[in-house]
Amino acid sequence: MPKVQPSRRSKQQPPEGWSDLEPRLEEFKQKMRDAETESTSGKRKVESTWGITRVHHQRSRYIFDLYYKRKAISLALLTYCVKHGHADGTLMAKWKKQGFEKLCCLQCVQPRDTSFGTACICRVPKNKLEEGRVVECVHCGCRGCASSD
């Protein structure tokens, strides 16, 4: 996940509409701080980063929905957010592809991160799993991000 660059370091002025978006991004920044400082005692090693991944997904999804679904922000503002680390451009590019509309994180589609060289278990549709089986991704804690669910 890219580090969020404060806008004061940049010489480029934020595009029009940034003032409407900034308060919500500050809320996400605070949520990220809380997730980073959250105690990891009593959690498994893989669970320690799930909160950070969840906030990263929510922040990117919020900006994605503003541009692609609601058409509330401009392309310049979207580019600015991606360039300064407020949104994950690679994840948003996957969301535009068919079958990846609900993707939780990029690790779940990278075959090199799994034992058998396939996608993560959270990508399997719920109707193809055993009845009553609880699925939880080890990368991000997702419980199912298949597009057919």
Side-chain angles (χ1 to χ4, degrees), residues 10-15 80:
S10 174
K11 294 179 183 179
Q12 178 186 7
Q13 288 293 96
Y80 181 84

Side-chain angles (χ1 to χ4, degrees), residues 67-93:
Y67 181 72
Y68 290 101
K69 305 280 187 205
R70 292 194 272 168
K71 309 223 184 294
I73 61 173
S74 66
L75 177 62
L77 186 54
L78 175 71
T79 307
Y80 181 84
C81 289
V82 170
K83 182 178 177 186
H84 290 277
H86 296 291
D88 188 347
T90 314
L91 186 58
M92 289 194 296

Side-chain angles (χ1 to χ4, degrees), residues 24-72:
R24 184 74 171 124
L25 291 178
E26 286 297 322
E27 288 176 26
F28 283 123
K29 191 183 221 179
Q30 185 59 42
K31 280 184 182 180
M32 185 65 82
R33 280 194 196 120
D34 294 343
E36 289 170 349
T37 58
E38 184 180 337
S39 173
T40 58
S41 61
K43 292 183 178 180
R44 296 181 301 173
K45 185 177 180 181
V46 295
E47 290 178 11
S48 61
T49 60
W50 288 358
I52 296 168
T53 307
R54 192 170 293 120
V55 173
H56 175 74
H57 176 273
Q58 289 172 350
R59 184 178 57 203
S60 295
R61 192 61 171 188
Y62 174 70
I63 294 171
F64 177 84
D65 287 343
L66 282 177
Y67 181 72
Y68 290 101
K69 305 280 187 205
R70 292 194 272 168
K71 309 223 184 294

Side-chain angles (χ1 to χ4, degrees), residues 84-108:
H84 290 277
H86 296 291
D88 188 347
T90 314
L91 186 58
M92 289 194 296
K94 283 284 188 190
W95 286 335
K96 290 190 287 183
K97 293 181 180 179
Q98 185 179 1
F100 295 94
E101 296 90 0
K102 296 180 183 179
L103 182 64
C104 54
C105 69
L106 292 172
Q107 287 179 314
C108 290

